[in-house]
Amino acid sequence: NWSSPENMALIAEASVIVDRYDLDQPAVESTIEVTVNGNAVEGTWYYDAEQQAVIFADQPPGENDITNITYAALAECD
């Protein structure tokens, strides 16, 4: 039954183009590299340290695109 509210929410969530990618750890901004479908992407995204996320301000990856973000994590001091 696709008409249940839970199923409709899942369908809506799956069909939205993602423009924000949360990172697992705080990043050293100068080390962030973004690729989409194996091609380096520059100038269409920025790093928001407060949100700990890479955000596409322009031309976010499409529904079937493979996005890869690599970065060095900030060291934690005790």
Side-chain angles (χ1 to χ4, degrees):
N1 181 1
W2 288 102
S3 63
S4 75
E6 294 83 16
N7 284 340
M8 295 305 287
L10 288 172
I11 292 168
E13 185 177 320
S15 65
V16 173
I17 293 177
V18 177
D19 64 354
R20 172 190 162 132
Y21 293 81
D22 296 325
L23 304 181
D24 293 332
Q25 301 174 31
V28 176
E29 187 169 354
S30 63
T31 68
I32 299 172
E33 295 179 0
V34 178
T35 61
V36 176
N37 299 325
N39 300 308
V41 177
E42 296 179 11
T44 60
W45 59 268
Y46 64 93
Y47 175 61
D48 186 318
E50 187 173 304
Q51 296 184 47
Q52 195 174 307
V54 169
I55 300 172
F56 281 83
D58 188 32
Q59 300 175 342
E63 184 176 343
N64 294 316
D65 289 334
I66 298 171
T67 304
N68 189 24
I69 300 172
T70 58
Y71 60 95
L74 285 174
E76 292 186 26
C77 298
D78 291 332

